[in-house]
Amino acid sequence: LVDDLRKDANEDVAELGPEVLLKNAVNFYLTSPYRGKVEKLFADVCEEYLNRPDFLETSEGHQYGLKATLNAFCALYGNRLISSVTKQEVETFFHRRGPGVASAGTRKVEKAHLNAVFNWAQKSDYIGDNVVAKTDKIKIKRADPVSLTIEQVREIFLCASRARYAGGYSREDK
C-alpha cells in the first residue's frame, strides 16, 4: 500500500480522483516531519519540564533563573502551540528590552534556558525542530582590562609607603 501511495503521489493533481487524493493525504501524513508530534501549548510544555525529577534536583538558583526566563517567554507565547513558535519570535524575545538594558550575558543565559526546554520538547516529540538552536549566537563583548601605567604604579607604592611609615616607624623598626 505504501509503495502504491508513493507512486500515485508523483501524478498530476488535476487528474487525480478522490480516491487517489485520499491516498496522497495519507502519504503526506506518513512522510511528514510532523507525523506523530503531539500538539501542546508552550505553557503546558514548560509545566511538564519544570516537574521533571532531574530538574527538581537542581540548585535553587538555577531553578529560579530558568523559571524567570520561562515566565517571561510564557507571557508572550505561552498560549501558543510550541510547534508554532518561530526563530524570529525567539530572537525578538532575546532583544525585547532594547539595547543596553539586558547584558549579552543575560541574553546568553536566557538562550541556554530556552534551548534546554526546546531540546527536551523535541526529544518528547512535541516539536520537530528546535528553533532556539537555529538562532544566532549571542556574542559577549569583553571590555579591555583597566591597567595602570608604570608611573602610576610607582606613585601608588610611594604614597602607600609614606602613609605606612608616617607614624614614626621605619623599615628597620619592624
Side-chain angles (χ1 to χ4, degrees):
L1 176 65
V2 173
D3 291 335
D4 291 340
L5 291 173
R6 292 179 196 275
K7 185 174 69 173
D8 291 339
N10 295 330
E11 296 178 18
D12 186 22
V13 176
E15 299 172 350
L16 300 178
E19 185 177 271
V20 176
L21 288 175
L22 182 59
K23 286 183 182 179
N24 286 347
V26 172
N27 182 43
F28 175 78
Y29 174 77
L30 292 174
T31 60
S32 171
Y34 299 102
R35 178 180 51 111
K37 304 298 178 205
V38 179
E39 292 187 349
K40 284 253 186 182
L41 295 178
F42 183 78
D44 295 337
V45 172
C46 289
E47 181 83 20
E48 281 185 45
Y49 184 83
L50 295 174
N51 288 321
R52 294 175 310 121
D54 56 335
F55 174 74
L56 298 173
E57 294 171 3
T58 61
S59 71
E60 286 184 28
H62 176 74
Q63 289 180 21
Y64 177 81
L66 191 118
K67 286 177 184 178
T69 299
L70 294 182
N71 286 339
F73 197 80
C74 279
L76 298 172
Y77 307 111
N79 61 346
R80 298 231 332 252
L81 292 175
I82 189 169
S83 59
S84 71
V85 177
T86 66
K87 173 187 166 191
Q88 291 77 19
E89 290 170 332
V90 172
E91 287 178 342
T92 300
F93 172 76
F94 293 142
H95 302 289
R96 71 193 180 282
R97 297 183 194 103
V101 179
S103 71
T106 299
R107 291 192 312 269
K108 194 171 184 178
V109 168
E110 287 178 338
K111 181 177 180 177
H113 289 159
L114 284 179
N115 193 47
V117 173
F118 274 80
N119 272 339
W120 179 81
Q122 186 177 20
K123 289 176 186 172
S124 299
D125 280 339
Y126 296 147
I127 55 175
D129 291 324
N130 178 352
V131 293
V132 179
K134 294 180 179 182
T135 60
D136 294 333
K137 183 178 180 181
I138 296 172
K139 297 176 184 163
I140 299 177
K141 294 179 183 175
R142 300 286 181 200
D144 291 333
V146 177
S147 59
L148 303 172
T149 65
I150 293 172
E151 188 57 40
Q152 289 171 324
V153 172
R154 281 188 189 133
E155 188 64 31
I156 289 171
F157 279 120
L158 182 62
C159 288
S161 177
R162 286 184 190 141
R164 184 174 181 186
Y165 299 112
Y169 297 105
S170 69
R171 289 184 185 171
E172 290 80 31
D173 291 340
K174 286 210 164 201

